[in-house]
Amino acid sequence: MAALAAWGSAAAPGRLSRALWGCRARRGLSQAAGPADGGAAGRPAFTDEAVQRLLRSVTGLDLQKVFRPRKQELRPPRYRLLTEAQLQEATRKAIEEAKEKLIMPPVLNEREPIDDVLAEDKFLEGMETTKYVFTDLTYSVPHRERFIVVREPNGVLRKATWEERDRMIQIFFPKEGRRVIPPVVFKDEHLVTVFQQDRHEDILNMCIAQFEPDSPDYIRVHHRTYDDIEKHAKYDLLRSTRHFGGMVWYLVNRKRTDGLLIDMIHRDLLDDATSLITLYHMLHPECQSAKEAKAGNLQGADLIKVFAKTESQKEGYIQLALQAYEEAMATSTAS
Amino acid sequence: MRLPGSQVPGNGTFPACPGQHSPGAGCQKTAPPLVAPGNQRGRPPAPAHGPQRPPHRGSGLLKGYRGGHVVIRFALGGCTNRPFFRIVAAHSRRARDGKYLEQLGCLDPLPNAHGERLAGLNLERLRHWLGCGAHLSRPAEKLLGLAGFLPLHPMTVTGAERLRRRRRAQEAVAARADGSPGPGPAP
């Protein structure tokens, strides 16, 4: 799997593509949020400022992990002698850069398939044996609005499907880190091997480089990764990466937060645990623990206890973990 | 005897310099020579504004053509048994694969692994050249008709009908040959 290491380092997208995500995600969400809003009025979306703040706080900011050494061009190391003030300034700049690196990739609904026929010329049937794919190469047109049409051998002129579109755009406007035909590693049987090697972050980086955020492959790979992490409780692999927010969003939407909660309490991250439960209440305001929390205006450990009692399946584990944490706190304050 | 050119121009007399057509025009040359400078064979120099030759360009690199127009056509490239066309706007008098004004797209006539023949067309620049009055070659017109940018070329329709008629005739012949296998061809 040496190829994975190379792709993992090359696949971090540049600022330009992230800026494009911003407008595409907003555009995509404005299309996708329509039916979602119609279904549950006022339901918070992934890009809401409150939701993003909670997800960012849960993700954490471990500078050692964000700036860990990765394969790049070989350069001799540079050592600098700094005063205290300069060191603080350098740390502050590093934190800014880390925040930039931790911007979360968009979470969109799956795109609707395109089936739009522009013309039917039945008398052309039988002339050709293979189809023609015409791509508009105008440079100033955004890729989402590009005209890509297919003339079938039976004379039908139709718009190209999403897979054909992605392939054509990659052929004529190649993007770094993306291949014309998606690598075989994204198939389900090969993802298992990747997960056994604990390379969830690398495969997610590759997936972001290869697929569009609303393509079914992107969503499938992300969901498989999150499911595997939740099954084996490997939450720490994604902590302090840009994928953690998406994982938390996925789990909270499906009410499978118990493992994550226990993991946070084990690592003494009570604030993260309370943020998680706040997010849960934001997304499921009709659940019982949300009502109790709002009524009693609970904070901290009480919130977790109420949540464990009402909403979770692994109540016993959560209470055990909380007990262990409180004992540890008591001994540390005592000693 | 008066030398030509010593007359004051504008009197309607014979022109001061050879090659001056209008009597009212002033003489451009300072000393009116009998033979124009550089023209050792005694040929009259080219008129300042004549339809026969384009104005002289400084560098000798630009080829000047007589007539001709801009055409959008296919330029063939690729290797042996592997054609590849570039859709190109060029002067009609240029070589097929020679210097062009602008490349407007490409066409790969061989189908790829997914069974598709790819064609890229820069529609914005195509519209620009068509607006400038470029002509189209017949294969280019047919391709744009298939793409839906232009209406379908009548020869595409005609070709389809001819093909169908030929196939029907062949099928009829084959059916007749199958139907009556007894009397074979005369020796």
Coordinates of all heavy atoms in Angstrom, one line a residue, chain A residues 121-140 147 149 151 157 164 167-168 171-172 181, chain B residues 104-107 111-112 114-124 143 145-148 152 156-157 159-160 163-164 167:
Chain A
D121 N -33.6 11.7 -32.7 CA -33.6 11.6 -34.1 C -33.5 10.2 -34.5 O -32.5 9.6 -34.7 CB -32.3 12.3 -34.7 CG -32.3 13.8 -34.2 OD1 -33.3 14.5 -34.4 OD2 -31.3 14.3 -33.7
K122 N -34.7 9.6 -34.6 CA -34.8 8.1 -34.8 C -34.2 7.7 -36.1 O -33.7 6.5 -36.3 CB -36.2 7.7 -34.7 CG -36.8 7.6 -33.3 CD -36.0 6.6 -32.5 CE -36.2 6.7 -31.1 NZ -35.2 6.1 -30.3
F123 N -34.1 8.6 -37.1 CA -33.6 8.1 -38.4 C -32.1 7.9 -38.5 O -31.6 7.4 -39.4 CB -34.0 9.1 -39.6 CG -33.9 10.5 -39.2 CD1 -32.7 11.1 -39.2 CD2 -35.0 11.2 -38.8 CE1 -32.5 12.4 -38.8 CE2 -34.9 12.5 -38.4 CZ -33.6 13.2 -38.4
L124 N -31.4 8.3 -37.4 CA -30.0 8.1 -37.3 C -29.6 6.7 -36.8 O -28.5 6.4 -36.7 CB -29.3 9.1 -36.4 CG -29.2 10.6 -36.9 CD1 -28.6 11.4 -35.8 CD2 -28.5 10.7 -38.1
E125 N -30.6 5.9 -36.5 CA -30.4 4.7 -35.9 C -29.6 3.7 -36.9 O -30.0 3.7 -38.0 CB -31.7 4.0 -35.5 CG -31.6 2.9 -34.5 CD -32.8 2.7 -33.7 OE1 -33.7 3.6 -33.8 OE2 -32.9 1.7 -33.1
G126 N -28.6 3.1 -36.3 CA -27.9 2.1 -37.2 C -26.7 2.7 -37.9 O -26.0 2.0 -38.6
M127 N -26.5 4.0 -37.9 CA -25.4 4.6 -38.6 C -24.1 4.4 -37.9 O -23.1 4.0 -38.5 CB -25.6 6.1 -38.7 CG -26.3 6.5 -40.0 SD -25.9 8.2 -40.4 CE -24.3 8.0 -41.2
E128 N -24.1 4.6 -36.6 CA -22.8 4.5 -35.8 C -23.0 3.3 -34.9 O -24.1 2.8 -34.6 CB -22.6 5.7 -35.0 CG -22.9 7.0 -35.7 CD -21.7 7.5 -36.5 OE1 -20.7 6.8 -36.5 OE2 -21.8 8.6 -37.1
T129 N -21.8 2.8 -34.4 CA -21.8 1.7 -33.5 C -21.5 2.1 -32.1 O -21.8 1.4 -31.1 CB -20.8 0.6 -33.9 OG1 -19.6 1.2 -34.3 CG2 -21.4 -0.2 -35.1
T130 N -20.8 3.3 -32.0 CA -20.4 3.7 -30.6 C -21.0 5.1 -30.4 O -21.3 5.8 -31.4 CB -18.9 3.8 -30.5 OG1 -18.4 4.4 -31.7 CG2 -18.3 2.4 -30.3
K131 N -21.1 5.6 -29.2 CA -21.6 6.9 -28.9 C -20.6 8.0 -29.0 O -19.4 7.7 -28.8 CB -22.3 6.9 -27.6 CG -21.5 6.3 -26.4 CD -22.4 6.3 -25.2 CE -21.7 5.4 -24.2 NZ -22.2 5.5 -22.9
Y132 N -21.1 9.2 -29.2 CA -20.2 10.4 -29.1 C -20.5 11.1 -27.8 O -21.6 11.3 -27.4 CB -20.6 11.3 -30.3 CG -19.9 11.1 -31.6 CD1 -20.6 10.5 -32.6 CD2 -18.6 11.5 -31.8 CE1 -19.9 10.3 -33.8 CE2 -17.9 11.3 -33.0 CZ -18.6 10.7 -34.0 OH -18.0 10.5 -35.2
V133 N -19.4 11.6 -27.2 CA -19.6 12.4 -26.0 C -19.0 13.8 -26.3 O -17.8 13.9 -26.6 CB -18.9 11.8 -24.8 CG1 -19.1 12.7 -23.6 CG2 -19.4 10.4 -24.5
F134 N -19.8 14.8 -26.3 CA -19.3 16.2 -26.6 C -19.2 17.0 -25.3 O -20.2 17.0 -24.5 CB -20.3 16.9 -27.5 CG -20.5 16.2 -28.8 CD1 -21.5 15.3 -29.1 CD2 -19.5 16.4 -29.8 CE1 -21.7 14.7 -30.3 CE2 -19.7 15.7 -31.0 CZ -20.7 14.9 -31.3
T135 N -18.1 17.6 -25.1 CA -17.8 18.4 -23.9 C -17.6 19.8 -24.3 O -16.8 20.1 -25.2 CB -16.6 17.9 -23.1 OG1 -16.7 16.4 -23.1 CG2 -16.5 18.4 -21.7
D136 N -18.2 20.7 -23.6 CA -18.0 22.1 -23.8 C -16.7 22.6 -23.1 O -16.6 22.4 -21.9 CB -19.2 23.0 -23.3 CG -19.0 24.4 -23.5 OD1 -18.1 24.8 -24.3 OD2 -19.7 25.2 -22.9
L137 N -15.7 23.1 -23.9 CA -14.4 23.4 -23.3 C -14.2 24.8 -22.9 O -13.1 25.3 -22.8 CB -13.3 23.0 -24.2 CG -13.2 21.5 -24.6 CD1 -12.0 21.3 -25.5 CD2 -13.1 20.6 -23.4
T138 N -15.3 25.6 -22.9 CA -15.2 27.0 -22.5 C -14.6 27.1 -21.1 O -15.0 26.5 -20.2 CB -16.6 27.7 -22.5 OG1 -17.3 27.3 -23.7 CG2 -16.5 29.1 -22.5
Y139 N -13.5 28.0 -21.0 CA -12.7 28.0 -19.8 C -13.4 28.6 -18.7 O -13.3 28.3 -17.5 CB -11.4 28.7 -20.1 CG -10.4 28.4 -19.1 CD1 -9.8 27.2 -18.9 CD2 -9.9 29.4 -18.2 CE1 -8.9 26.9 -17.9 CE2 -9.0 29.2 -17.3 CZ -8.4 27.9 -17.1 OH -7.5 27.7 -16.2
S140 N -14.3 29.6 -19.0 CA -14.9 30.4 -17.9 C -16.1 29.9 -17.3 O -16.7 30.5 -16.4 CB -15.1 31.8 -18.4 OG -16.0 31.7 -19.5
F147 N -21.7 22.1 -20.3 CA -22.6 21.2 -21.2 C -21.8 20.0 -21.6 O -20.8 20.1 -22.2 CB -23.0 22.0 -22.4 CG -24.2 22.9 -22.2 CD1 -24.0 24.2 -22.3 CD2 -25.4 22.3 -21.9 CE1 -25.1 25.1 -22.1 CE2 -26.5 23.2 -21.7 CZ -26.3 24.5 -21.8
V149 N -22.9 16.5 -23.4 CA -24.0 15.7 -24.0 C -23.5 14.5 -24.7 O -22.3 14.4 -25.1 CB -24.8 16.6 -25.0 CG1 -25.4 17.8 -24.4 CG2 -23.9 17.0 -26.2
R151 N -24.4 11.6 -27.8 CA -25.2 11.2 -28.9 C -25.1 9.7 -29.0 O -24.1 9.1 -29.3 CB -24.8 11.9 -30.2 CG -25.5 11.4 -31.4 CD -26.8 12.0 -31.6 NE -26.9 13.3 -32.1 CZ -28.0 14.0 -32.5 NH1 -29.1 13.3 -32.5 NH2 -27.9 15.2 -32.8
L157 N -30.1 12.3 -28.4 CA -29.1 13.3 -27.8 C -29.5 13.5 -26.4 O -30.6 14.2 -26.2 CB -29.1 14.5 -28.7 CG -28.0 15.6 -28.3 CD1 -26.7 15.1 -28.6 CD2 -28.3 16.9 -29.0
E164 N -20.3 10.1 -16.2 CA -19.7 10.5 -17.5 C -19.2 11.9 -17.3 O -18.1 12.3 -17.8 CB -20.7 10.4 -18.6 CG -21.0 9.0 -19.0 CD -22.2 9.0 -19.9 OE1 -23.0 10.0 -20.0 OE2 -22.5 7.9 -20.5
R167 N -15.9 12.0 -15.4 CA -14.8 11.5 -16.2 C -14.4 12.5 -17.2 O -13.2 12.8 -17.4 CB -15.3 10.2 -16.9 CG -14.4 9.1 -16.6 CD -14.7 7.7 -17.1 NE -16.1 7.5 -17.4 CZ -16.6 7.4 -18.7 NH1 -15.8 7.5 -19.7 NH2 -17.9 7.2 -18.9
M168 N -15.3 13.1 -17.9 CA -14.9 14.1 -19.0 C -14.2 15.3 -18.4 O -13.2 15.8 -18.9 CB -16.2 14.5 -19.7 CG -16.8 13.5 -20.5 SD -15.7 12.8 -21.7 CE -15.8 11.1 -21.3
I171 N -10.8 14.4 -17.6 CA -9.9 14.3 -18.8 C -9.5 15.6 -19.4 O -8.3 15.9 -19.7 CB -10.7 13.5 -19.9 CG1 -10.8 12.0 -19.5 CG2 -10.0 13.6 -21.3 CD1 -11.7 11.2 -20.4
F172 N -10.5 16.6 -19.5 CA -10.1 17.8 -20.1 C -9.6 18.9 -19.1 O -8.9 19.8 -19.5 CB -11.4 18.4 -20.8 CG -11.7 17.6 -22.1 CD1 -12.8 16.8 -22.1 CD2 -10.9 17.7 -23.2 CE1 -13.1 16.1 -23.3 CE2 -11.2 17.0 -24.3 CZ -12.3 16.2 -24.4
I181 N -10.4 7.2 -13.8 CA -11.2 6.0 -13.3 C -10.8 5.9 -11.9 O -9.7 5.8 -11.5 CB -10.8 4.7 -14.1 CG1 -11.2 5.0 -15.6 CG2 -11.5 3.5 -13.6 CD1 -10.6 3.9 -16.5
Chain B
L104 N -9.9 25.0 -31.5 CA -11.2 25.1 -30.9 C -11.7 23.9 -30.3 O -12.8 23.8 -29.8 CB -12.2 25.6 -32.0 CG -11.8 26.9 -32.7 CD1 -12.8 27.1 -33.8 CD2 -11.8 28.0 -31.7
G105 N -10.9 22.8 -30.3 CA -11.3 21.6 -29.8 C -10.6 20.4 -30.3 O -9.6 20.5 -31.1
C106 N -11.1 19.2 -30.0 CA -10.4 18.0 -30.5 C -11.5 16.9 -30.7 O -12.6 17.0 -30.1 CB -9.4 17.6 -29.5 SG -10.0 17.3 -27.9
L107 N -11.1 15.9 -31.4 CA -12.0 14.8 -31.7 C -11.1 13.5 -31.7 O -10.1 13.5 -32.4 CB -12.7 14.9 -33.0 CG -13.4 13.7 -33.5 CD1 -14.6 13.3 -32.6 CD2 -13.9 13.9 -34.9
P111 N -13.0 4.6 -30.4 CA -13.7 4.6 -29.1 C -12.8 4.2 -28.0 O -11.8 3.4 -28.2 CB -14.8 3.5 -29.4 CG -14.3 2.8 -30.6 CD -13.4 3.6 -31.4
N112 N -13.1 4.7 -26.8 CA -12.2 4.4 -25.6 C -12.8 3.1 -24.9 O -13.6 2.4 -25.4 CB -12.2 5.6 -24.7 CG -13.5 5.9 -24.1 OD1 -14.5 5.2 -24.3 ND2 -13.5 7.0 -23.3
H114 N -14.7 2.8 -22.5 CA -16.2 2.8 -22.2 C -17.0 2.8 -23.5 O -18.2 3.1 -23.4 CB -16.5 4.0 -21.4 CG -15.8 4.0 -20.1 ND1 -16.3 3.6 -18.9 CD2 -14.6 4.5 -19.8 CE1 -15.5 3.7 -17.9 NE2 -14.4 4.2 -18.4
G115 N -16.4 2.7 -24.7 CA -17.1 2.7 -25.9 C -17.6 4.0 -26.3 O -18.7 4.1 -27.0
E116 N -16.9 5.1 -26.0 CA -17.3 6.4 -26.4 C -16.2 7.0 -27.2 O -15.1 6.8 -27.0 CB -17.5 7.3 -25.2 CG -17.9 6.6 -23.9 CD -17.8 7.4 -22.7 OE1 -16.7 8.0 -22.5 OE2 -18.7 7.4 -21.9
R117 N -16.7 7.9 -28.2 CA -15.8 8.7 -29.0 C -15.8 10.1 -28.4 O -16.9 10.7 -28.4 CB -16.2 8.7 -30.4 CG -15.6 7.5 -31.2 CD -16.1 7.5 -32.6 NE -17.5 7.1 -32.7 CZ -18.1 6.8 -33.8 NH1 -17.5 7.1 -35.0 NH2 -19.3 6.4 -33.8
L118 N -14.7 10.6 -27.9 CA -14.7 11.9 -27.2 C -14.5 13.0 -28.1 O -13.7 12.9 -29.1 CB -13.6 11.9 -26.1 CG -13.6 10.8 -25.1 CD1 -12.5 11.0 -24.1 CD2 -15.0 10.7 -24.4
A119 N -15.2 14.1 -27.9 CA -15.0 15.3 -28.7 C -15.1 16.5 -27.7 O -16.1 16.6 -26.9 CB -16.1 15.5 -29.8
G120 N -14.2 17.4 -27.8 CA -14.2 18.6 -27.0 C -14.4 19.8 -27.9 O -13.7 19.9 -28.9
L121 N -15.3 20.7 -27.5 CA -15.6 21.9 -28.4 C -15.6 23.1 -27.5 O -16.3 23.2 -26.6 CB -16.9 21.7 -29.1 CG -17.2 20.5 -29.9 CD1 -18.7 20.3 -30.1 CD2 -16.5 20.6 -31.2
N122 N -14.8 24.1 -27.9 CA -14.8 25.3 -27.1 C -15.8 26.2 -27.8 O -15.6 27.0 -28.7 CB -13.4 26.0 -27.2 CG -13.3 27.2 -26.3 OD1 -14.3 27.7 -25.8 ND2 -12.0 27.5 -25.9
L123 N -17.1 26.1 -27.2 CA -18.2 26.7 -27.9 C -18.1 28.2 -28.0 O -18.6 28.9 -28.9 CB -19.5 26.3 -27.3 CG -19.8 24.8 -27.4 CD1 -21.1 24.4 -26.7 CD2 -19.9 24.4 -28.8
E124 N -17.5 28.8 -26.9 CA -17.5 30.2 -26.9 C -16.6 30.8 -28.0 O -17.0 31.7 -28.7 CB -16.9 30.7 -25.5 CG -17.1 32.1 -25.2 CD -15.9 32.7 -24.6 OE1 -15.2 32.0 -23.8 OE2 -15.5 33.9 -24.9
L143 N -20.2 17.1 -37.5 CA -19.9 16.9 -36.1 C -20.7 17.8 -35.2 O -21.3 17.4 -34.2 CB -18.4 17.1 -35.8 CG -18.0 16.6 -34.4 CD1 -18.0 15.2 -34.3 CD2 -16.7 17.2 -34.1
G145 N -23.5 19.2 -36.0 CA -24.9 18.8 -36.1 C -25.2 17.6 -35.1 O -26.2 17.6 -34.4
L146 N -24.3 16.7 -35.0 CA -24.4 15.6 -34.1 C -24.4 16.1 -32.7 O -25.1 15.6 -31.8 CB -23.3 14.5 -34.3 CG -23.4 13.6 -35.4 CD1 -22.3 12.6 -35.4 CD2 -24.7 12.8 -35.4
A147 N -23.6 17.1 -32.4 CA -23.4 17.6 -31.1 C -24.7 18.4 -30.6 O -24.9 18.6 -29.5 CB -22.2 18.5 -31.0
G148 N -25.5 18.9 -31.6 CA -26.6 19.7 -31.2 C -26.4 21.1 -31.3 O -27.3 21.9 -31.0
L152 N -29.0 19.3 -37.5 CA -28.4 18.1 -38.2 C -28.1 18.4 -39.7 O -29.0 19.0 -40.4 CB -29.3 17.0 -38.1 CG -29.1 15.9 -37.0 CD1 -30.0 14.8 -37.2 CD2 -27.7 15.5 -36.9
T156 N -26.1 14.0 -43.3 CA -26.2 12.9 -42.3 C -27.4 12.1 -42.4 O -27.4 10.9 -42.4 CB -26.1 13.6 -40.9 OG1 -25.2 14.6 -40.8 CG2 -25.8 12.6 -39.8
V157 N -28.5 12.9 -42.6 CA -29.8 12.2 -42.8 C -29.8 11.4 -44.1 O -30.2 10.2 -44.1 CB -30.9 13.3 -42.9 CG1 -32.3 12.7 -43.0 CG2 -30.9 14.2 -41.6
G159 N -27.2 10.2 -45.7 CA -26.4 9.0 -45.5 C -27.0 7.9 -44.7 O -26.9 6.7 -45.1
A160 N -27.8 8.3 -43.7 CA -28.5 7.3 -42.9 C -29.5 6.6 -43.8 O -29.6 5.3 -43.7 CB -29.2 7.9 -41.7
L163 N -27.8 4.2 -46.2 CA -27.3 3.0 -45.5 C -28.4 2.1 -45.2 O -28.3 0.8 -45.5 CB -26.6 3.5 -44.2 CG -25.7 2.5 -43.5 CD1 -24.5 2.2 -44.3 CD2 -25.4 2.9 -42.1
R164 N -29.5 2.6 -44.8 CA -30.7 1.8 -44.5 C -31.1 1.1 -45.8 O -31.4 -0.1 -45.8 CB -31.8 2.6 -43.9 CG -32.6 1.8 -42.8 CD -33.5 2.7 -42.1 NE -32.7 3.6 -41.2 CZ -33.0 4.9 -41.1 NH1 -34.0 5.5 -41.8 NH2 -32.3 5.7 -40.3
R167 N -28.8 -1.7 -46.7 CA -28.9 -2.8 -45.8 C -30.1 -3.6 -46.2 O -30.1 -4.9 -46.2 CB -28.9 -2.4 -44.4 CG -27.6 -2.0 -43.8 CD -27.5 -2.3 -42.3 NE -26.2 -1.7 -41.9 CZ -26.2 -0.7 -41.0 NH1 -27.3 -0.2 -40.4 NH2 -25.0 -0.2 -40.6

